[in-house]
């Protein structure tokens, strides 16, 4: 058994249909147990901003759209803010089902335990070692530190719900291939 070659991978791909020219990978969604804990983590630890919050009282859940945007770019009126937040690239949608924070037995599957499926999101940083030193002082849980394992210079941390987050530098990862 071996990996798919670059040539085989290219042959498997099609040129995008013109009908898809306006498609945008906009968001990934994580279910969260406690928004107070998760919002603190994604803003204070990772430096994201809350782009938009939406409540759905009839279905008893809230959405928190998180991203790396400048505060001054976030529109003030709510309709413009909603449209803007839903047009950004690389947004993380945190979904909170009301009351889940009170369920001591609730634990979301992060995709990395059996049966495996979803893996992680990735955050590009300028200096993995410095960022991870900061994470250590803040008490962030590590799955893998930058100098552990076979893939050096890459780290994996966990958010409050156990989802994995890869911390990498694009120059270092690109030089591995």
């Amino acid at each position: 058994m071996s990996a798919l070659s670059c040539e085989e991978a290219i042959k498997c791909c099609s040129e995008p249909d013109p009908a898809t020219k306006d498609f945008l990978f906009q968001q990934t969604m994580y279910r969260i147990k406690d928004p107070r804990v998760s919002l603190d983590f994604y803003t204070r630890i990772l430096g994201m901003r809350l782009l938009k919050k939406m409540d759905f009282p009839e279905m008893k859940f809230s959405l928190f759209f998180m991203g790396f945007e400048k505060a001054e770019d976030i529109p003030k009126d709510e309709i413009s803010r909603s449209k803007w937040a839903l047009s950004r690239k690389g947004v993380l949608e945190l979904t909170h089902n009301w009351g889940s924070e009170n369920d001591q037995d609730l634990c979301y599957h992060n995709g990395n335990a059996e049966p495996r499926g979803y893996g992680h999101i990735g955050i590009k940083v300028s200096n993995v070692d410095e960022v991870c030193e900061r994470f250590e002082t803040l008490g962030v849980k590590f799955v893998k530190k930058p100098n552990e394992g076979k893939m050096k210079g890459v780290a994996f941390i966990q958010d409050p719900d156990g989802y994995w987050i890869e911390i990498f530098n694009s120059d270092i990862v690109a030089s591995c291939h």
Side-chain angles (χ1 to χ4, degrees), residues 14-27:
S14 301
E15 189 61 28
D17 186 306
T20 65
K21 70 178 175 57
D22 294 326
F23 288 14
L24 168 77
F25 183 80
Q26 199 271 324
Q27 62 188 253

Side-chain angles (χ1 to χ4, degrees), residues 30-45:
Y30 281 168
R31 293 186 193 287
I32 58 169
K33 184 172 182 170
D34 188 338
R36 290 167 188 85
V37 175
S38 293
L39 290 169
D40 175 66
F41 176 87
Y42 283 99
T43 58
R44 185 174 57 85
I45 305 292

Side-chain angles (χ1 to χ4, degrees), residues 3-17:
L4 192 65
S5 72
C6 290
E7 294 78 19
E8 290 174 300
I10 290 168
K11 286 180 185 176
C12 292
C13 296
S14 301
E15 189 61 28
D17 186 306

